[in-house]
Amino acid sequence: GRKGSSTAPVRRCWMLDRMSHDWSEMVPMTTARKQVMAGQLNGKLYAVGGWNGRAYLRSVEVFDPTKGAWAPAPRLDSARGSFGLA
């Protein structure tokens, strides 16, 4: 929720263990973002666009759980934040 949460972009992110229903902090993204959209495809997590505190972003990062690391993915054609992702 928004109440009491920071409005600053962050690199931190969390993962839900679907078996235990517990959240755990995972490896930070390489870029601080807010208003970012996330989605899962083929076992990888994508962080798409967002706001870095100065501008909307075109950048995309992908988290590979087998490597435990974020890597760059192809950029968006135009910067986006607070959008739908399916």
Side-chain angles (χ1 to χ4, degrees):
R2 296 267 315 154
K3 186 173 184 179
S5 63
S6 171
T7 59
V10 296
R11 294 180 52 220
R12 297 173 69 183
C13 49
W14 292 262
M15 184 181 321
L16 175 65
D17 182 316
R18 294 183 345 191
M19 299 300 288
S20 68
H21 301 284
D22 290 327
W23 288 93
S24 59
E25 192 163 0
M26 53 189 281
V27 177
M29 294 179 289
T30 59
T31 301
R33 306 165 184 268
K34 70 181 224 177
Q35 301 174 1
V36 60
M37 295 297 112
Q40 181 269 341
L41 180 65
N42 297 328
K44 296 180 180 178
L45 177 65
Y46 289 79
V48 181
W51 174 259
N52 69 5
R54 294 179 306 278
Y56 286 104
L57 303 171
R58 292 179 52 212
S59 62
V60 178
E61 302 180 46
V62 59
F63 180 77
D64 184 336
T66 62
K67 296 177 181 177
W70 290 93
R75 296 167 59 89
L76 298 169
D77 288 336
S78 59
R80 302 242 187 259
S82 297
F83 60 100
L85 182 69

